[in-house]
Amino acid sequence: MHESSLLMKQSGQVPAGDVADSDTHPLQVKWLQPEDTALCARWDEFVLACPQATFFHRAGWLQIFRDVFRHTTHFLYAERAGAIEAVLPLAQIKSWLFGNSLISLPFAVYGGVAANNPAAAERLEIEAQVLARRLGVEHLELRNVKQRHADWPMQDLYVSFRKEILPEVEANMLAIPRKQRAMVRKGIKNGLSSHIDSTVDRFFALYADNVHRHGTPALPKRYFAELQKVFGADCEIMSVQDESGRVLSSVLSFYFRDEVLPYYAGDDVLARDMAANDFKYWELMRRSCERGLHVFDYGRSKQGTGSYSFKKNWGFEPQPLFYEYCLYKRDAIPQNNPSNAKYRYFIEAWRRMPIGLANRIGPLLVRNLG
């Protein structure tokens, strides 16, 4: 018997595959291995077809977490008669500074289980709880789009912003509220242009400088290069430059089904005066419209922040995210984010640190934030 199934029996929880089933084929829980390319392809086929799945359920994240961040991964899937019915990607972050946790999924706005049926979803969530106890983590975190456990503590700090991309380019321009539309037109009048980058170089220079000015560590440059390598055409960098060729703003976006997800971004100090940030997101929307995409996913923002207000100014309405926690060795959900007052002095000190030094030591810290 599998170790997790044995633990479940000892705790009084019986796995779905061990009870009578109307189907002659029992539901089995297995672990994805990155070297099994055929299985990874099957996993991704399921993710693309499952309405509950997101870009962050893709198999490629397993390789990124192992190779870039050196985190232990547990990508679980439920299978019946050779067909995948549910997936649950998990990664463990074990840090002396930020604690020991099991998350679906670190560095992702969405996560949790994606399933074709409730039985498979429940089976994987039970397995995740058993795994969390066996690993001795302080908490299990599932970054759900929809609420699944009303009795679990929930982090209500973040919301997401999603909106339909209209079929015609001009219709999308007119759908932007008047004041924000004026900023987009300002960027156009300033002669700005957008370009697709083949490397992460220009993007990373802006991104690293941007997060440094905000007092937070930058993710390693290698991480962004690996995203391009693993996800190929589904990970794209678009940069905005002025008429002299100076790059002012850049965004790294993910593509999933008929959606575009601008995910990481950076801006030069001159970007605001030139309306380069506004122009950037318009250009991404325009290009996405011309590609026939249907959803613009602006990602998550903390409530009450400048990012939150900026996205609302585009006519996007916030939608709640249900980050649910199962607590084991702590009494409350963690607050490892810049909004936590205890990080105020660290943020101020980080802003004053030379950027070269910050870029060298930052990845050692940020890998454990998730």
Side-chain angles (χ1 to χ4, degrees), residues 58-96:
R58 291 188 54 174
W61 289 102
L62 188 153
Q63 178 181 333
I64 289 169
F65 283 116
R66 286 189 175 184
D67 293 352
V68 177
F69 298 112
R70 306 297 180 187
H71 292 317
T72 302
T73 55
H74 305 272
F75 276 42
L76 311 180
Y77 66 99
E79 183 181 66
R80 191 195 308 272
I84 296 176
E85 296 188 5
V87 299
L88 176 56
L90 294 157
Q92 182 183 11
I93 294 184
K94 195 172 185 178
S95 164
W96 65 268

Short mmCIF file of all heavy atoms in Angstrom, two decimals, residues 58-96:
data_model
loop_
_atom_site.label_atom_id
_atom_site.label_comp_id
_atom_site.label_asym_id
_atom_site.label_seq_id
_atom_site.Cartn_x
_atom_site.Cartn_y
_atom_site.Cartn_z
N ARG A 58 0.37 23.86 -15.47
CA ARG A 58 1.16 23.18 -16.50
C ARG A 58 2.36 22.45 -15.90
O ARG A 58 2.94 22.86 -14.89
CB ARG A 58 1.62 24.18 -17.56
CG ARG A 58 0.47 24.71 -18.41
CD ARG A 58 0.95 25.53 -19.58
NE ARG A 58 1.92 24.79 -20.40
CZ ARG A 58 2.42 25.25 -21.55
NH1 ARG A 58 2.03 26.44 -22.00
NH2 ARG A 58 3.29 24.55 -22.23
N ALA A 59 2.73 21.37 -16.56
CA ALA A 59 3.79 20.49 -16.06
C ALA A 59 5.15 21.18 -16.02
O ALA A 59 6.01 20.82 -15.20
CB ALA A 59 3.88 19.23 -16.92
N GLY A 60 5.37 22.17 -16.87
CA GLY A 60 6.67 22.82 -16.93
C GLY A 60 7.11 23.48 -15.64
O GLY A 60 8.31 23.66 -15.41
N TRP A 61 6.16 23.84 -14.78
CA TRP A 61 6.52 24.48 -13.51
C TRP A 61 7.31 23.54 -12.62
O TRP A 61 8.14 23.98 -11.81
CB TRP A 61 5.26 24.96 -12.78
CG TRP A 61 4.63 26.12 -13.45
CD1 TRP A 61 3.53 26.12 -14.26
CD2 TRP A 61 5.08 27.49 -13.42
NE1 TRP A 61 3.26 27.38 -14.72
CE2 TRP A 61 4.19 28.24 -14.22
CE3 TRP A 61 6.14 28.13 -12.78
CZ2 TRP A 61 4.35 29.62 -14.39
CZ3 TRP A 61 6.29 29.50 -12.94
CH2 TRP A 61 5.41 30.23 -13.75
N LEU A 62 7.10 22.25 -12.76
CA LEU A 62 7.86 21.29 -11.95
C LEU A 62 9.36 21.45 -12.22
O LEU A 62 10.18 21.51 -11.30
CB LEU A 62 7.38 19.87 -12.25
CG LEU A 62 7.92 18.73 -11.37
CD1 LEU A 62 6.92 17.57 -11.33
CD2 LEU A 62 9.25 18.21 -11.89
N GLN A 63 9.72 21.50 -13.49
CA GLN A 63 11.12 21.66 -13.86
C GLN A 63 11.69 22.98 -13.37
O GLN A 63 12.82 23.05 -12.87
CB GLN A 63 11.26 21.57 -15.39
CG GLN A 63 12.69 21.76 -15.89
CD GLN A 63 12.77 21.69 -17.41
OE1 GLN A 63 11.93 21.04 -18.05
NE2 GLN A 63 13.74 22.37 -17.98
N ILE A 64 10.90 24.05 -13.47
CA ILE A 64 11.37 25.37 -13.04
C ILE A 64 11.63 25.41 -11.54
O ILE A 64 12.66 25.92 -11.08
CB ILE A 64 10.35 26.44 -13.45
CG1 ILE A 64 10.39 26.62 -14.97
CG2 ILE A 64 10.64 27.76 -12.75
CD1 ILE A 64 9.26 27.44 -15.53
N PHE A 65 10.72 24.84 -10.76
CA PHE A 65 10.91 24.85 -9.31
C PHE A 65 12.11 24.01 -8.90
O PHE A 65 12.83 24.37 -7.96
CB PHE A 65 9.65 24.34 -8.60
CG PHE A 65 8.55 25.35 -8.54
CD1 PHE A 65 7.36 25.13 -9.19
CD2 PHE A 65 8.71 26.53 -7.84
CE1 PHE A 65 6.35 26.07 -9.15
CE2 PHE A 65 7.72 27.48 -7.79
CZ PHE A 65 6.53 27.26 -8.46
N ARG A 66 12.35 22.92 -9.56
CA ARG A 66 13.48 22.06 -9.22
C ARG A 66 14.80 22.66 -9.69
O ARG A 66 15.78 22.69 -8.94
CB ARG A 66 13.29 20.67 -9.83
CG ARG A 66 12.25 19.83 -9.13
CD ARG A 66 12.28 18.39 -9.65
NE ARG A 66 11.36 17.55 -8.90
CZ ARG A 66 11.24 16.23 -9.10
NH1 ARG A 66 11.98 15.62 -10.00
NH2 ARG A 66 10.40 15.52 -8.38
N ASP A 67 14.85 23.13 -10.93
CA ASP A 67 16.12 23.56 -11.52
C ASP A 67 16.53 24.96 -11.09
O ASP A 67 17.72 25.23 -10.90
CB ASP A 67 16.04 23.50 -13.05
CG ASP A 67 15.90 22.08 -13.58
OD1 ASP A 67 16.03 21.14 -12.77
OD2 ASP A 67 15.63 21.91 -14.78
N VAL A 68 15.58 25.88 -10.96
CA VAL A 68 15.91 27.27 -10.65
C VAL A 68 15.92 27.51 -9.15
O VAL A 68 16.86 28.10 -8.61
CB VAL A 68 14.92 28.24 -11.34
CG1 VAL A 68 15.24 29.69 -10.94
CG2 VAL A 68 14.99 28.08 -12.85
N PHE A 69 14.87 27.05 -8.45
CA PHE A 69 14.72 27.37 -7.03
C PHE A 69 15.15 26.25 -6.09
O PHE A 69 15.25 26.46 -4.88
CB PHE A 69 13.26 27.75 -6.74
CG PHE A 69 12.81 28.97 -7.47
CD1 PHE A 69 11.84 28.87 -8.47
CD2 PHE A 69 13.35 30.21 -7.20
CE1 PHE A 69 11.42 29.99 -9.16
CE2 PHE A 69 12.93 31.34 -7.88
CZ PHE A 69 11.97 31.24 -8.87
N ARG A 70 15.37 25.05 -6.64
CA ARG A 70 15.78 23.90 -5.83
C ARG A 70 14.75 23.54 -4.77
O ARG A 70 15.10 23.06 -3.70
CB ARG A 70 17.15 24.14 -5.17
CG ARG A 70 18.26 24.53 -6.13
CD ARG A 70 18.55 23.44 -7.13
NE ARG A 70 19.62 23.82 -8.05
CZ ARG A 70 20.00 23.10 -9.11
NH1 ARG A 70 19.39 21.96 -9.37
NH2 ARG A 70 20.97 23.50 -9.89
N HIS A 71 13.48 23.76 -5.07
CA HIS A 71 12.42 23.38 -4.15
C HIS A 71 11.97 21.94 -4.43
O HIS A 71 12.00 21.49 -5.58
CB HIS A 71 11.22 24.32 -4.27
CG HIS A 71 11.49 25.71 -3.80
ND1 HIS A 71 12.19 25.98 -2.63
CD2 HIS A 71 11.14 26.92 -4.31
CE1 HIS A 71 12.26 27.29 -2.46
NE2 HIS A 71 11.64 27.89 -3.46
N THR A 72 11.55 21.26 -3.39
CA THR A 72 11.01 19.92 -3.55
C THR A 72 9.59 20.03 -4.09
O THR A 72 8.77 20.79 -3.58
CB THR A 72 10.98 19.18 -2.20
OG1 THR A 72 12.31 19.13 -1.67
CG2 THR A 72 10.46 17.76 -2.37
N THR A 73 9.30 19.28 -5.14
CA THR A 73 7.98 19.35 -5.78
C THR A 73 7.22 18.05 -5.59
O THR A 73 7.80 16.96 -5.48
CB THR A 73 8.12 19.62 -7.28
OG1 THR A 73 8.96 18.62 -7.87
CG2 THR A 73 8.72 21.00 -7.53
N HIS A 74 5.90 18.19 -5.57
CA HIS A 74 4.99 17.05 -5.47
C HIS A 74 3.82 17.34 -6.40
O HIS A 74 2.81 17.91 -5.97
CB HIS A 74 4.51 16.84 -4.04
CG HIS A 74 5.61 16.70 -3.03
ND1 HIS A 74 6.18 15.48 -2.72
CD2 HIS A 74 6.26 17.63 -2.28
CE1 HIS A 74 7.13 15.67 -1.82
NE2 HIS A 74 7.20 16.96 -1.54
N PHE A 75 3.96 16.97 -7.66
CA PHE A 75 2.89 17.20 -8.63
C PHE A 75 2.03 15.95 -8.67
O PHE A 75 2.39 14.94 -9.28
CB PHE A 75 3.48 17.53 -10.01
CG PHE A 75 3.85 18.99 -10.18
CD1 PHE A 75 4.47 19.70 -9.16
CD2 PHE A 75 3.58 19.66 -11.37
CE1 PHE A 75 4.82 21.04 -9.31
CE2 PHE A 75 3.90 20.99 -11.54
CZ PHE A 75 4.52 21.68 -10.51
N LEU A 76 0.88 16.01 -8.00
CA LEU A 76 0.01 14.86 -7.86
C LEU A 76 -1.03 14.84 -8.98
O LEU A 76 -1.51 15.88 -9.42
CB LEU A 76 -0.72 14.90 -6.52
CG LEU A 76 0.10 15.16 -5.25
CD1 LEU A 76 -0.82 15.18 -4.05
CD2 LEU A 76 1.18 14.13 -5.09
N TYR A 77 -1.38 13.63 -9.40
CA TYR A 77 -2.50 13.50 -10.33
C TYR A 77 -3.29 12.25 -10.01
O TYR A 77 -2.76 11.26 -9.49
CB TYR A 77 -2.03 13.50 -11.79
CG TYR A 77 -1.19 12.31 -12.22
CD1 TYR A 77 -1.76 11.24 -12.91
CD2 TYR A 77 0.18 12.28 -11.98
CE1 TYR A 77 -0.98 10.17 -13.33
CE2 TYR A 77 0.96 11.22 -12.39
CZ TYR A 77 0.37 10.16 -13.07
OH TYR A 77 1.14 9.09 -13.49
N ALA A 78 -4.59 12.33 -10.26
CA ALA A 78 -5.49 11.20 -10.04
C ALA A 78 -5.81 10.59 -11.40
O ALA A 78 -6.22 11.30 -12.33
CB ALA A 78 -6.76 11.66 -9.35
N GLU A 79 -5.65 9.28 -11.49
CA GLU A 79 -5.80 8.59 -12.77
C GLU A 79 -6.74 7.39 -12.60
O GLU A 79 -6.70 6.69 -11.59
CB GLU A 79 -4.44 8.13 -13.26
CG GLU A 79 -4.44 7.46 -14.62
CD GLU A 79 -3.03 7.02 -15.03
OE1 GLU A 79 -2.50 6.12 -14.36
OE2 GLU A 79 -2.50 7.58 -15.99
N ARG A 80 -7.58 7.20 -13.60
CA ARG A 80 -8.45 6.02 -13.62
C ARG A 80 -8.39 5.40 -15.01
O ARG A 80 -8.65 6.06 -16.00
CB ARG A 80 -9.89 6.41 -13.29
CG ARG A 80 -10.82 5.21 -13.02
CD ARG A 80 -12.29 5.62 -13.05
NE ARG A 80 -12.59 6.74 -12.19
CZ ARG A 80 -12.92 6.63 -10.89
NH1 ARG A 80 -12.98 5.43 -10.34
NH2 ARG A 80 -13.18 7.71 -10.18
N ALA A 81 -8.03 4.12 -15.04
CA ALA A 81 -7.96 3.38 -16.31
C ALA A 81 -7.11 4.10 -17.35
O ALA A 81 -7.45 4.17 -18.53
CB ALA A 81 -9.36 3.13 -16.84
N GLY A 82 -6.00 4.68 -16.90
CA GLY A 82 -5.07 5.35 -17.80
C GLY A 82 -5.45 6.76 -18.19
O GLY A 82 -4.73 7.40 -18.97
N ALA A 83 -6.56 7.29 -17.66
CA ALA A 83 -7.00 8.66 -17.98
C ALA A 83 -6.86 9.55 -16.76
O ALA A 83 -7.32 9.20 -15.67
CB ALA A 83 -8.44 8.65 -18.47
N ILE A 84 -6.21 10.70 -16.93
CA ILE A 84 -6.06 11.66 -15.83
C ILE A 84 -7.39 12.35 -15.57
O ILE A 84 -8.06 12.82 -16.50
CB ILE A 84 -4.97 12.69 -16.16
CG1 ILE A 84 -3.60 12.00 -16.29
CG2 ILE A 84 -4.91 13.78 -15.09
CD1 ILE A 84 -2.47 12.93 -16.70
N GLU A 85 -7.80 12.41 -14.29
CA GLU A 85 -9.06 13.04 -13.92
C GLU A 85 -8.86 14.29 -13.06
O GLU A 85 -9.79 15.08 -12.90
CB GLU A 85 -9.96 12.06 -13.17
CG GLU A 85 -10.39 10.87 -14.03
CD GLU A 85 -11.44 10.01 -13.35
OE1 GLU A 85 -11.91 10.39 -12.25
OE2 GLU A 85 -11.80 8.96 -13.91
N ALA A 86 -7.65 14.48 -12.51
CA ALA A 86 -7.40 15.65 -11.68
C ALA A 86 -5.89 15.83 -11.51
O ALA A 86 -5.14 14.85 -11.54
CB ALA A 86 -8.06 15.52 -10.31
N VAL A 87 -5.46 17.08 -11.32
CA VAL A 87 -4.06 17.38 -11.06
C VAL A 87 -3.97 18.37 -9.90
O VAL A 87 -4.87 19.20 -9.71
CB VAL A 87 -3.33 17.95 -12.29
CG1 VAL A 87 -3.34 16.95 -13.44
CG2 VAL A 87 -3.93 19.28 -12.74
N LEU A 88 -2.89 18.28 -9.15
CA LEU A 88 -2.64 19.22 -8.04
C LEU A 88 -1.13 19.42 -7.92
O LEU A 88 -0.42 18.61 -7.34
CB LEU A 88 -3.20 18.67 -6.72
CG LEU A 88 -2.93 19.52 -5.46
CD1 LEU A 88 -3.42 20.94 -5.63
CD2 LEU A 88 -3.58 18.88 -4.24
N PRO A 89 -0.61 20.52 -8.49
CA PRO A 89 0.82 20.81 -8.38
C PRO A 89 1.15 21.43 -7.02
O PRO A 89 0.49 22.38 -6.60
CB PRO A 89 1.07 21.80 -9.52
CG PRO A 89 -0.24 22.50 -9.68
CD PRO A 89 -1.32 21.50 -9.32
N LEU A 90 2.16 20.91 -6.35
CA LEU A 90 2.56 21.40 -5.03
C LEU A 90 4.08 21.56 -4.99
O LEU A 90 4.82 20.79 -5.61
CB LEU A 90 2.14 20.41 -3.94
CG LEU A 90 0.65 20.22 -3.71
CD1 LEU A 90 0.39 18.87 -3.06
CD2 LEU A 90 0.10 21.34 -2.84
N ALA A 91 4.54 22.54 -4.24
CA ALA A 91 5.97 22.72 -4.00
C ALA A 91 6.18 23.08 -2.54
O ALA A 91 5.39 23.82 -1.96
CB ALA A 91 6.55 23.81 -4.91
N GLN A 92 7.23 22.51 -1.97
CA GLN A 92 7.55 22.78 -0.57
C GLN A 92 8.61 23.86 -0.48
O GLN A 92 9.64 23.80 -1.15
CB GLN A 92 8.05 21.52 0.12
CG GLN A 92 8.35 21.71 1.61
CD GLN A 92 8.93 20.46 2.27
OE1 GLN A 92 9.30 19.51 1.58
NE2 GLN A 92 9.01 20.46 3.58
N ILE A 93 8.35 24.86 0.35
CA ILE A 93 9.34 25.90 0.64
C ILE A 93 9.74 25.76 2.10
O ILE A 93 8.90 25.90 3.00
CB ILE A 93 8.78 27.31 0.36
CG1 ILE A 93 8.51 27.49 -1.13
CG2 ILE A 93 9.75 28.36 0.86
CD1 ILE A 93 8.05 28.87 -1.51
N LYS A 94 11.01 25.47 2.30
CA LYS A 94 11.53 25.24 3.65
C LYS A 94 12.60 26.28 3.93
O LYS A 94 13.70 26.21 3.38
CB LYS A 94 12.08 23.82 3.78
CG LYS A 94 12.31 23.37 5.21
CD LYS A 94 12.67 21.89 5.24
CE LYS A 94 12.79 21.39 6.67
NZ LYS A 94 13.11 19.94 6.72
N SER A 95 12.27 27.25 4.77
CA SER A 95 13.16 28.38 5.00
C SER A 95 13.24 28.69 6.49
O SER A 95 12.21 28.72 7.18
CB SER A 95 12.64 29.61 4.25
OG SER A 95 13.22 30.80 4.71
N TRP A 96 14.45 28.94 6.99
CA TRP A 96 14.61 29.29 8.41
C TRP A 96 14.00 30.67 8.69
O TRP A 96 13.59 30.97 9.81
CB TRP A 96 16.08 29.29 8.79
CG TRP A 96 16.91 30.33 8.10
CD1 TRP A 96 17.61 30.19 6.94
CD2 TRP A 96 17.13 31.69 8.53
NE1 TRP A 96 18.22 31.37 6.61
CE2 TRP A 96 17.97 32.30 7.57
CE3 TRP A 96 16.70 32.44 9.61
CZ2 TRP A 96 18.38 33.63 7.66
CZ3 TRP A 96 17.10 33.77 9.71
CH2 TRP A 96 17.94 34.34 8.74
#
